[in-house]
Amino acid sequence: MSIWKYANPTQFMRTSAWLLPGLSVLAALCVATGLVWGFFFTPDDFRQGSTVKIIYLHVPSALMAINAWLMMLVASLIWLIRRHHVSALAAKAAAPVGLVMTVIALATGAIWGEPMWGTYWAWDPRLTSFLILFLFYLGYIALWQAIETQDTAADLTSVLCLVGSVFALLSRYAVNFWNQGLHQGTSVPVATGERSVADVFFVPLVFSMVGFGLLFVALVLLRTRTEIRSRRLHALLARERAADTRVAPNTPPSESPTS
Amino acid sequence: MIPDLGKYQDTVLSAYGISLLLLAAIIGLSIWRARAVKRQLDATEARTNKRQ
């Protein structure tokens, strides 16, 4: 069985229709468990007080903001190399979700930063690279909207995605590259396993992170299905217009029934 | 109902409020657009089939 069979829109629609309900329920359960547990049933931190509860939103959204761009990078590369339309549409579908995750990460970070650092914003390496990532998301979405020919839009946005990936990686590793600024290092380093978060905070955080991940996948599947349908809709409408033109070749454009 | 958040109550509640609002917006918009496009496509396909 080859993964490329899912590049077929019909196969993708069939598989995603089967996956989507279960994924959505699982995502809702995990997000609700993580947030309710974190908000209602975790103690205050000895240093940060109740602001520690923001971690259940800030960390998962920041994680997904970066991973969404990396998913778009993979999809863009598949488009550029293999020209599978579903991958280009999946990248397009993921961008608004990634943008929302970035905004949540920036907003919760600023709100959390004010009582802890004494400022909403600082030109810290991680914060700045996240802001640039946010601008890349805006540019990516705007570029898709600006170009009418879908294949050309997919080509140009893929190139933009490749360039933006530098900032996606930079926002992940900025604290390691420049050992300065206000933002701390990662609280949950996957590679070393030496996390700085106590179990009482960590378990609901894992639920929240898994939940945000599943929510992202569910939203991307739903939105990719919409993009595939939208593309078919435009093709059918174009065919209808062409058929109308053939039926009434002498009708001036201004009197055409579709104009 | 809401736990005692002490002096950071506004901070924590605003972070949760903004985030949940944004999440609800992207979920709501995605579902709304999915339904709208499906409705349009169904109508167009029905029209196309009738013509043939």
Side-chain angles (χ1 to χ4, degrees):
Chain A
M1 186 190 292
S2 164
I3 191 175
W4 301 116
K5 74 173 187 174
Y6 297 104
N8 177 318
T10 311
Q11 182 66 43
F12 179 86
M13 292 300 275
R14 200 178 303 140
T15 311
S16 59
W18 180 78
L19 277 173
L20 204 48
L23 258 178
S24 306
V25 170
L26 206 59
L29 279 175
C30 285
V31 170
T33 305
L35 294 186
V36 169
W37 188 347
F39 187 81
F40 289 99
F41 304 109
T42 55
D44 290 355
D45 180 60
F46 76 103
R47 204 180 301 159
Q48 303 188 44
S50 61
T51 62
V52 73
K53 294 178 193 296
I54 298 174
I55 199 172
Y56 307 108
L57 294 163
H58 181 71
V59 171
S61 57
L63 186 76
M64 289 322 300
I66 298 168
N67 287 344
W69 194 275
L70 295 181
M71 175 252 146
M72 286 160 57
L73 169 67
V74 173
S76 299
L77 285 172
I78 292 172
W79 164 253
L80 287 174
I81 296 164
R82 298 191 67 125
R83 312 301 283 181
H84 289 315
H85 284 100
V86 172
S87 65
L89 295 178
K92 182 185 182 185
V97 188
L99 176 72
V100 166
M101 294 295 175
T102 311
V103 173
I104 292 175
L106 283 169
T108 53
I111 293 168
W112 200 358
E114 203 281 326
M116 293 302 111
W117 300 335
T119 179
Y120 286 107
W121 181 261
W123 294 103
D124 162 285
R126 178 167 282 186
L127 272 66
T128 308
S129 53
F130 242 89
L131 181 67
I132 296 171
L133 182 63
F134 165 73
L135 296 175
F136 264 100
Y137 270 119
L138 283 183
Y140 182 91
I141 293 167
L143 196 53
W144 264 110
Q145 301 298 324
I147 299 165
E148 211 161 299
T149 317
Q150 293 287 293
D151 284 6
T152 311
D155 285 340
L156 294 178
T157 51
S158 295
V159 173
L160 182 68
C161 189
L162 293 182
V163 179
S165 300
V166 175
F167 289 94
L169 286 173
L170 214 57
S171 46
R172 172 70 182 79
Y173 296 106
V175 177
N176 306 11
F177 292 155
W178 296 280
N179 196 17
Q180 58 184 35
L182 290 172
H183 202 288
Q184 67 183 66
T186 178
S187 306
V188 191
V190 178
T192 61
E194 294 168 359
R195 59 188 158 86
S196 58
V197 181
D199 283 350
V200 69
F201 302 116
F202 183 68
V203 182
L205 179 60
V206 169
F207 271 101
S208 200
M209 288 194 295
V210 171
F212 270 63
L214 291 172
L215 177 66
F216 171 75
V217 175
L219 280 174
V220 171
L221 285 182
L222 175 69
R223 295 177 66 88
T224 307
R225 289 169 61 79
T226 306
E227 292 300 336
I228 290 170
R229 284 190 172 128
S230 175
R231 205 178 166 96
R232 175 159 169 73
L233 176 66
H234 283 111
L236 284 176
L237 290 174
R239 211 178 297 165
E240 256 186 7
R241 275 194 297 273
D244 289 343
T245 315
R246 274 200 300 275
V247 168
N250 295 326
T251 310
S254 58
E255 292 170 25
S256 160
T258 53
S259 64
Chain B
M1 195 64 180
I2 293 176
D4 179 20
L5 301 170
K7 62 177 177 175
Y8 298 124
Q9 179 166 316
D10 292 348
T11 304
V12 178
L13 290 182
S14 57
Y16 272 78
I18 290 169
S19 303
L20 294 179
L21 205 68
L22 285 167
L23 285 178
I26 187 71
I27 293 168
L29 276 174
S30 302
I31 293 172
W32 174 78
R33 183 156 180 262
R35 286 181 179 165
V37 170
K38 186 175 185 319
R39 207 168 38 239
Q40 283 177 349
L41 179 61
D42 288 346
T44 309
E45 279 179 336
R47 205 166 55 231
T48 309
N49 290 339
K50 213 179 277 179
R51 279 185 171 194
Q52 287 168 351

